[in-house]
């Protein structure tokens, strides 16, 4: 399935986070702090188990565990596969790979997709900036070339590197707030970006082991970004946050509806009153999302899906709680 063509919303949308600037970021930080601190009480814990050098307890192996952490002495003694847990380094380095291509400047739910990207970045920053940890980011958007709308189908423009920005990893809440302001103030450029090139920015040069969080809608073809993601997973713990809008999953029955791809500018009029067309669209969208999930799973990345029509923060809390539970359950010997 080609990149899902976002549907224009008839209702006026609120201004992007970049325009609401400091006041919105302050309220967002307060919301994240209250919710996460209220529901995730306890010792320091991040989104993923940080790669540490200090050995912890062993537990039984479960499908999906990193085989590099196999505890062979305990496995031989108990005849049951075990993995060695590691204690997360307190000075952890976290990198955000934030996709702000043109397809993210869209939303029919409570949020724009780009607003969910910024909100997820704020939550991740709050979870990882404690204890002297460092956090940096790479940001990618379109190529910046103007793309006129077209009614007739034509060959899509080739994917280019787009505009890529690197923010160095630094510690401290003041630096983290500066990073978020830069992310929120990034102007989304028209044209196609390259998610693979964005991820590859974190592979070259190699960095110390840490956590990498990739936030995107992953609508680019998996062959463009799956290999760089697998390469990244060799050295880092990787979390992929997929941002989805409900109109990318199914079409409403609203008669003739103009739809446009913001990256190519291609414009179509779709007869949504046809139930067979809506069913084909939903089936193709489901197949596309299954392909994305399979590619992320094949790359060894943890996968979290956030929707613009749901409580994204609650979904993140549930994910963090599940990660914490997965790290603590299991038989230790």
């Amino acid at each position: 399935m080609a990149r899902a063509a976002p549907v224009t919303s008839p209702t006026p949308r609120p201004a992007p986070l970049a325009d609401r600037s400091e006041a919105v970021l302050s309220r967002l930080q307060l919301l994240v702090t209250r919710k996460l601190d209220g529901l995730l009480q306890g010792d320091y814990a991040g989104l993923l188990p940080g790669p540490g050098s200090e050995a912890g307890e062993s537990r039984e192996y479960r499908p999906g565990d990193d085989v590099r952490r196999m505890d062979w002495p305990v496995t031989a003694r108990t005849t049951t596969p075990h993995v060695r847990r590691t204690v997360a380094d307190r000075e952890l380095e976290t990198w955000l790979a934030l996709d702000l291509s043109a397809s993210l400047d869209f939303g029919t739910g409570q949020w724009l997709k780009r607003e969910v990207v910024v909100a997820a970045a704020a939550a991740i920053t709050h979870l990882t900036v404690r204890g002297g940890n460092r956090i940096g980011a790479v940001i990618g958007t379109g190529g910046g070339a103007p793309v006129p709308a077209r009614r007739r189908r034509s060959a899509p423009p080739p994917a280019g590197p787009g505009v890529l920005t690197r923010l160095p990893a630094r510690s401290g809440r003041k630096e983290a707030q500066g990073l978020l302001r830069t992310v929120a103030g990034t102007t989304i450029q028209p044209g196609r970006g390259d998610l693979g090139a964005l991820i590859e920015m974190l592979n070259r040069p190699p960095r110390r082991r840490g956590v990498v969080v990739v936030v995107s809608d992953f609508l680019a073809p998996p062959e463009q970004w799956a290999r760089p993601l697998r390469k990244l997973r060799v050295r880092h713990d990787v979390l992929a946050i997929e941002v989805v809008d409900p109109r990318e999953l199914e079409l409403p029955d609203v008669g003739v509806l103009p739809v446009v791809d913001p990256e190519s500018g291609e414009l179509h009029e779709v007869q949504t009153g046809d139930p067979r067309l809506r069913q084909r669209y939903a089936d193709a969208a489901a197949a596309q999302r299954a392909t994305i999930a399979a590619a992320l799973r094949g790359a060894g990345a943890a996968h979290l899906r956030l929707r613009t029509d749901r409580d994204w923060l609650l979904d993140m809390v549930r994910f963090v709680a599940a990660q914490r539970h997965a790290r603590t359950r299991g038989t230790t010997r």
Side-chain angles (χ1 to χ4, degrees):
M1 178 181 176
R3 295 181 69 96
V7 183
T8 56
S9 175
T11 57
R13 299 297 309 163
L17 280 176
D19 297 336
R20 291 181 267 169
S21 86
E22 292 292 335
V24 170
L25 284 177
S26 298
R27 290 198 299 269
L28 182 60
Q29 181 69 20
L30 182 61
L31 174 66
V32 169
T33 302
R34 285 181 175 178
K35 192 102 173 189
L36 293 182
D37 285 347
L39 297 181
L40 297 176
Q41 298 292 347
D43 296 333
Y44 168 87
L47 283 172
L48 295 174
S53 56
E54 181 181 351
E57 298 177 330
S58 294
R59 61 166 174 78
E60 292 184 2
Y61 173 86
R62 293 190 296 273
D65 286 338
D66 191 343
V67 296
R68 295 173 298 179
R69 296 177 181 169
M70 290 293 296
D71 191 336
W72 297 112
V74 175
T75 298
R77 188 169 63 249
T78 62
T79 69
T80 302
H82 277 69
V83 292
R84 174 70 68 177
R85 296 170 56 199
T86 56
V87 179
D89 295 330
R90 283 304 182 263
E91 293 184 1
L92 184 68
E93 185 168 286
T94 300
W95 281 90
L96 306 174
L98 304 175
D99 177 16
L100 290 176
S101 56
S103 64
L104 274 294
D105 199 14
F106 166 73
T108 62
Q110 300 175 2
W111 300 75
L112 293 173
K113 287 166 64 178
R114 71 157 293 161
E115 291 177 332
V116 176
V117 172
V118 177
I124 294 163
T125 299
H126 173 74
L127 287 168
T128 58
V129 77
R130 304 173 181 179
N133 294 338
R134 301 198 304 165
I135 186 166
V138 291
I139 308 169
T141 183
V147 182
R150 298 183 296 275
R151 285 187 176 274
R152 291 183 297 177
R153 180 177 296 275
S154 59
V163 179
L164 303 177
T165 305
R166 188 194 309 272
L167 305 177
R170 294 172 178 167
S171 60
R173 292 192 176 276
K174 182 178 179 181
E175 287 73 15
Q177 287 298 314
L179 181 147
L180 289 176
R181 284 194 294 270
T182 301
V183 172
T186 299
T187 301
I188 289 183
Q189 302 287 347
R192 294 195 187 279
D194 190 336
L195 181 57
L198 177 66
I199 297 174
E200 191 64 32
M201 286 185 70
L202 298 180
N203 285 320
R204 295 196 303 262
R207 292 170 172 79
R208 58 177 292 187
R209 282 182 57 85
V211 174
V212 173
V213 182
V214 182
V215 190
S216 173
D217 54 13
F218 292 97
L219 290 179
E223 55 268 20
Q224 181 190 104
W225 50 262
R227 184 174 181 180
L229 196 64
R230 285 195 301 269
K231 183 179 177 182
L232 195 65
R233 179 63 181 85
V234 172
R235 191 173 182 86
H236 305 279
D237 288 304
V238 179
L239 168 62
I241 298 182
E242 180 189 8
V243 180
V244 180
D245 187 85
R247 293 288 75 81
E248 294 171 335
L249 304 178
E250 58 182 6
L251 288 175
D253 183 2
V254 291
V256 178
L257 184 69
V259 296
V260 62
D261 185 337
E263 294 191 352
S264 68
E266 193 168 333
L267 179 66
H268 298 276
E269 290 184 349
V270 178
Q271 177 52 264
T272 62
D274 184 352
R276 291 175 298 178
L277 183 144
R278 295 199 308 273
Q279 185 60 48
R280 289 198 304 270
Y281 182 93
D283 292 343
Q288 181 187 39
R289 295 298 166 178
T291 300
I292 294 171
L296 294 175
R297 185 168 56 251
H303 183 198
L304 169 62
R305 178 177 292 175
L306 301 180
R307 293 174 53 124
T308 62
D309 61 340
R310 291 184 47 164
D311 186 342
W312 58 267
L313 189 51
L314 181 57
D315 288 338
M316 291 197 73
V317 166
R318 288 171 175 167
F319 176 83
V320 174
Q323 290 291 318
R324 172 179 288 187
H325 178 67
R327 295 200 299 269
T328 56
R329 68 188 175 97
T331 303
T332 58
R333 305 196 187 269

